[in-house]
């Protein structure tokens, strides 16, 4: 029997998750409503030699309803590597997903709350994470992969090209960039051309290429 701790500030949702999991043979050993209580509860259970198999936690919990849940989960993963952690979020939040997945991906999951309605898939995800597997929402995967591709593209720029792109982001013209870097206008034009090529911006995009390049830089 899998042992679960649920961290969710909505009493109604917490009770619903408890009923859902217990009806399918799991034991919910505790339910808490904030990140601090989650960490405290897991510490107490570990001290009693009763560390649960998995935590199911909301990303946002009191007091600020920003990142208390995921912060608590990241902290717990550092303390108890064997503890599975499955976080639930209303929307895909790349920063939180990245923090949770940093390092080992063993026993970790990130699902949108809408997936809870798909009962069988949700219960399977809880069991998989408890067993050391991974459960990532398809939308989370899509956004993280998109982000990864963008970062990889910018990583292909040379230090000088990144410097030029940074000055472009400040709104400087090629001539102003050349003056700042003490190089010829032709050298800057070559760097800019290389930047466009590495970012996959074709000539058909015309003057928009400069804007798109700056946007890619700012979003990185």
């Amino acid at each position: 029997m899998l042992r679960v701790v649920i961290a969710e500030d909505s009493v109604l949702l917490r009770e619903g998750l408890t009923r859902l999991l217990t009806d399918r043979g799991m034991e919910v050993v505790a339910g808490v409503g904030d990140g601090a209580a989650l960490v405290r509860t897991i510490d107490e259970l570990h001290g009693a030699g009763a560390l649960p198999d998995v935590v199911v936690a909301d990303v946002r919990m009191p007091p600020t309803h920003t990142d208390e849940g995921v912060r608590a989960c990241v902290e717990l993963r550092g303390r108890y590597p064997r503890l599975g952690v499955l976080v639930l979020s209303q929307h895909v939040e790349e920063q939180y997903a990245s923090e949770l997945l940093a390092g080992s991906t063993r026993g970790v999951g990130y699902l949108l709350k809408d997936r809870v309605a798909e009962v069988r898939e949700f219960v399977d995800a809880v069991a998989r994470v408890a067993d050391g597997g991974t459960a990532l929402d398809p939308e989370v995967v899509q956004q993280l992969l998109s982000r990864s591709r963008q970062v990889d593209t910018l990583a292909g720029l040379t230090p000088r090209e990144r410097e030029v792109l940074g000055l472009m982001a400040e709104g400087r013209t090629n001539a102003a960039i050349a003056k700042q870097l003490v190089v010829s206008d032709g050298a800057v034009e070559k760097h800019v051309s290389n930047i466009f090529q590495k970012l996959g911006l074709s000539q058909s995009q015309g003057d928009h290429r400069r804007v798109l390049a700056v946007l890619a830089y700012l979003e990185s």
Side-chain angles (χ1 to χ4, degrees):
M1 180 180 292
L2 293 179
R3 303 175 68 253
V4 185
V5 169
I6 298 175
E8 166 60 58
D9 61 294
S10 167
V11 176
L12 184 61
L13 182 53
R14 187 166 71 237
E15 292 301 320
L17 290 173
T18 298
R19 178 65 180 273
L20 188 155
L21 295 177
T22 54
D23 283 352
R24 284 154 183 80
M26 300 183 188
E27 180 185 3
V28 177
V29 296
V32 299
D34 61 73
L38 173 60
V39 173
R40 184 170 60 251
T41 297
I42 297 300
D43 285 342
E44 291 173 353
L45 289 170
H46 178 262
L51 187 71
D53 299 293
V54 61
V55 166
V56 177
D58 190 359
V59 166
R60 298 171 181 250
M61 289 195 290
T64 68
H65 292 279
T66 54
D67 61 355
E68 284 83 358
V70 75
R71 292 290 182 192
C73 288
V74 170
E75 180 179 346
L76 289 172
R77 277 175 59 78
R79 293 189 193 183
Y80 311 111
R82 293 188 298 106
L83 176 67
V85 171
L86 174 62
V87 300
L88 304 177
S89 179
Q90 195 69 41
H91 309 286
V92 178
E93 309 204 36
E94 294 178 31
Q95 178 182 349
Y96 300 154
S98 298
E99 289 179 12
L100 189 68
L101 294 168
S104 173
T105 57
R106 180 191 182 282
V108 63
Y110 189 113
L111 296 179
L112 295 182
K113 285 188 174 180
D114 290 345
R115 304 297 174 190
V116 177
E118 300 170 11
V119 176
R120 182 173 180 178
E121 291 185 18
F122 173 67
V123 173
D124 286 346
V126 174
R128 188 160 64 253
V129 170
D131 195 40
T134 303
L136 296 179
D137 195 284
E139 291 189 33
V140 175
V141 173
Q142 182 179 3
Q143 291 201 28
L144 290 179
L145 286 177
S146 175
R147 181 70 168 179
S148 176
R149 284 194 295 269
Q150 183 181 63
V151 172
D152 287 345
T153 300
L154 292 182
L157 301 181
T158 66
R160 175 62 91 181
E161 289 164 355
R162 289 185 66 90
E163 189 175 11
V164 169
L165 184 54
L167 293 171
M168 288 168 59
E170 294 177 10
R172 305 198 189 196
T173 64
N174 285 2
I177 294 173
K179 184 176 180 180
Q180 173 73 22
L181 299 180
V182 193
V183 297
S184 68
D185 290 355
V188 173
E189 290 176 3
K190 183 176 181 180
H191 287 313
V192 172
S193 177
N194 288 339
I195 290 169
F196 290 157
Q197 182 179 4
K198 291 181 179 180
L199 294 182
L201 302 174
S202 65
Q203 290 185 351
S204 63
Q205 292 169 296
D207 293 338
H208 293 300
R209 290 193 297 173
R210 199 174 187 92
V211 175
L212 293 172
V214 168
L215 287 174
Y217 175 81
L218 294 175
E219 291 174 357
S220 69

